[in-house]
Amino acid sequence: MKFAIQSRNDKLSNELMAQAKKYLTEFGLTFDEEEPEIVLSIGGDGTLLHAFHKYIHRLEDTSFVGIHTGHLGFYADWKPSEIEKLVIAIARKEFEVADYPLLEVTINYQHYQKSTKYLALNESTVKSPEVTFVMDVELNGEHFERFRGDGLCISTPSGSTAYNKALGGAIIHPAIPALQLTEMASINNRVFRTVGSPLVLPKHHSLMLVPVNGPDFMLTIDHLQLLHKDVKSIEYRVAEEKVRFARFRPFPFWKRVSDSFVASEVKDE
Ligand code: NAD
C-alpha cells in the first residue's frame, strides 16, 4: 500500500512524521506523495484540510486519517502516543472507510463563459469587499430572499461543527447528505427581511446566490480565501464526490461532538 504524510510543520508534528514514515516503510509500505492510498495528516483539523485539498484530484482512491498534535480535532482524532498502534493497523489494513458528503461550489462570471468549480470539506463563505453584502438567494431556481448583512456561510455536515456552529447553525450528522446555509449578521428591520434561521438543504436541491450590487466577492473554500471579480452567480449543491476517512476503531460522531464541546461538564455530574 502507498502512503503519504502531511505535517503541520511544527517540531512535534515533523518528529511524528519521520517516525511514522520509518515504521510504515519497515512494514513494507511505499512512501508515494503523488498517488497515496492513505494519507496521514499530523497536526490539527487545518492540516487535514490542507491534505484534502492537496489530494482533491484523487478522492476516490485516497483515505485520510488525522493525528492531533494540539487539541482533539474533528478530523484529527488520534493522539501522538498512539502512533505505533495506528501504524500497525494501517500495515495490517485493519480499517474501514467512512465517507462524508462534500460541498460543490460553482462560480459563474458575467463576461467569461467558463465557470470555476470547487469542492469544500468544511464550508464556503461569501463576503463583500463593500460594507454591506447584498445577494439574492434562490432555492431550486425560485427567489427566496434578498439578503443584506455581513455574509453567508454554506457548510457540509462535517463542517457544521466549525464556522457554521459559531454562526448558530445546527450540527448535522455526516451520514445525512445535506448542505446548510447560515447568516452572518443579517440586517433585519421594517424595511429589510431575511428568514433569520439556518436552512438545511437535501441532496439534489440547489442554492444560488445572485449579486445585487457590485460583482466582486471574497470567497472562502475551507482555509483558502480568494477574491472573485465579475461574478454573475454562485451555485451550491451537495457534491457527487465524497471524502473517505480510514476508521480503525469506533468513534461515533456524537461522542466526538461531546468530547470536543461538552465533555468536561458531563464529568462533574
Ligand atoms: P485552524 O486549523 O486554526 O482551524 C480553526 C479552528 O477550527 C481549529 O480550532 C480547528 O480545530 C477548528 N475546526 C476546523 N474544522 C473543524 C470541524 N470540521 N469541526 C470542528 N472544528 C473544526 O485554521 P484554518 O486552517 O484556517 O481552518 C479553516 C477553518 O477554520 C475553516 O474551515 C472554518 O471552519 C474555521 N473558521 C472558524 C471561524 C469561527 O469559528 N468563527 C472563523 C473562521 C474560520
Side-chain angles (χ1 to χ4, degrees), residues 108 110 133-139 143 145-147 152 207-215 217 231-236:
N108 304 306
Q110 292 183 354
F133 165 95
V134 191
M135 279 281 200
D136 276 338
V137 178
E138 290 180 9
L139 300 182
H143 177 79
E145 66 180 11
R146 177 159 292 181
F147 177 91
L152 290 165
L207 161 69
M208 177 105 97
L209 302 182
V210 183
V212 176
N213 297 335
F217 295 94
V231 173
K232 187 173 156 202
S233 60
I234 312 174
E235 218 177 319
Y236 294 94

Side-chain angles (χ1 to χ4, degrees), residues 8 44-47 49-50 71-75 121-123 125 127 153 156-167 220-224 260-261:
R8 183 165 51 190
D45 287 327
T47 320
L49 291 175
H50 279 80
H71 65 87
L72 167 73
F74 258 74
Y75 301 120
L121 173 55
N122 267 354
E123 76 284 289
T125 65
K127 294 177 190 172
C153 172
T156 64
S158 63
S160 67
T161 46
Y163 203 164
N164 167 77
K165 185 175 179 298
L167 295 169
T220 66
I221 301 287
D222 299 331
H223 58 290
L224 307 163
S260 296
F261 298 110

